[in-house]
Amino acid sequence: MKKILLSVICVLSFGWAEAEMNKTVPMAEALQISAKTMNKSLPVMVDAELRHDKVEAKGNTMILKFTLVNFTLKEMDGEKLKGLMEADIKQSVCTDAETQDMLKKGMKVTYDYTDKNKKHITQFKYDAKACGLESNMDKLKNILNLTQKG
């Protein structure tokens, strides 16, 4: 399966939402706008086996929903899919500079996979901690800890 770089689309849409409104909006609201915008061009085939169905925003979490169009849960269980895709997805999400910035601000990203019969296979969830990043809240806690010790 192809390496998926959809986190970049998510971040670009988030930036578009802020720029379009010409003001800073709460992340949850901006993610809602981004999901609505992205869904206008979905579903779309990523490759011969994977379809990107839709995007949902729940709070500070962007959920990207995919279907493995040629597989059943029996043929492609969660462990098998993780073995095939987890490293590529994590690298895609965690190494993009714009995505890192959003993760540090509290955004979470979930990739959700179902089989061709709409049976859930697995999810991949990422936040600042999962990507080995220090979130803004972590930075604040560290500053407070240093201040209290000093």
Side-chain angles (χ1 to χ4, degrees), residues 138-149:
D138 292 334
K139 288 179 184 177
L140 182 59
K141 287 178 186 176
N142 289 337
I143 291 168
L144 290 173
N145 284 337
L146 289 173
T147 305
Q148 291 174 352
K149 290 179 182 178

Side-chain angles (χ1 to χ4, degrees), residues 68-77 114-117 119 121:
L68 294 172
V69 297
N70 298 316
F71 295 95
T72 64
L73 181 59
K74 191 173 186 178
E75 296 165 327
M76 181 65 72
D77 65 26
T114 58
D115 74 357
K116 68 181 183 180
N117 299 318
K119 291 186 180 177
I121 297 174

Side-chain angles (χ1 to χ4, degrees), residues 68-101:
L68 294 172
V69 297
N70 298 316
F71 295 95
T72 64
L73 181 59
K74 191 173 186 178
E75 296 165 327
M76 181 65 72
D77 65 26
E79 290 304 311
K80 193 180 290 185
L81 185 62
K82 283 183 180 185
L84 290 170
M85 297 182 69
E86 188 170 32
D88 284 344
I89 294 171
K90 184 173 184 176
Q91 180 181 3
S92 172
V93 172
C94 296
T95 61
D96 179 75
E98 292 179 58
T99 305
Q100 286 180 349
D101 185 50

Side-chain angles (χ1 to χ4, degrees), residues 14 17-31 33 102:
F14 179 84
E18 275 193 312
E20 183 73 14
M21 298 177 79
N22 202 19
K23 63 178 181 176
T24 301
V25 295
M27 183 178 296
E29 184 180 339
L31 292 179
I33 294 166
M102 296 309 303

Side-chain angles (χ1 to χ4, degrees), residues 96-140:
D96 179 75
E98 292 179 58
T99 305
Q100 286 180 349
D101 185 50
M102 296 309 303
L103 293 171
K104 289 177 186 178
K105 292 178 181 175
M107 182 179 81
K108 298 175 184 179
V109 179
T110 299
Y111 285 70
D112 188 71
Y113 292 86
T114 58
D115 74 357
K116 68 181 183 180
N117 299 318
K118 294 294 181 190
K119 291 186 180 177
H120 185 259
I121 297 174
T122 194
Q123 289 184 329
F124 302 98
K125 296 182 178 188
Y126 302 97
D127 59 10
K129 186 175 181 178
C131 289
L133 305 170
E134 185 177 43
S135 70
N136 290 348
M137 187 58 76
D138 292 334
K139 288 179 184 177
L140 182 59

